[in-house]
Amino acid sequence: MPFRGPEIYVKGDYHYHCKVDGGFDRFCGYEDIFYENERVYECYFHGEIVK
């Protein structure tokens, strides 16, 4: 890890959060970004090893 970003990242009024379950063989997660306590972005993601 990280698959997409760090678990928490803060810069000014922006707050990024990312939660991931699993490992490189199979994972799923969710990330969101807040600006001044308002969610401005969210994403669910998943993946696995391609053989």
Side-chain angles (χ1 to χ4, degrees):
M1 284 199 233
F3 294 94
R4 297 192 45 100
E7 190 171 335
I8 297 173
Y9 178 76
V10 177
K11 186 171 184 180
D13 292 329
Y14 288 92
H15 296 236
Y16 170 87
H17 307 102
C18 184
K19 172 74 172 131
V20 180
D21 293 314
F24 282 112
D25 57 334
R26 180 171 281 201
F27 62 89
C28 62
Y30 173 78
E31 66 183 1
D32 54 7
I33 299 172
F34 289 83
Y35 176 72
E36 296 183 345
N37 296 320
E38 180 179 345
R39 182 182 292 125
V40 295
Y41 171 83
E42 68 180 337
C43 177
Y44 290 92
F45 58 89
H46 65 276
E48 64 183 312
I49 294 175
V50 178
K51 298 178 183 182

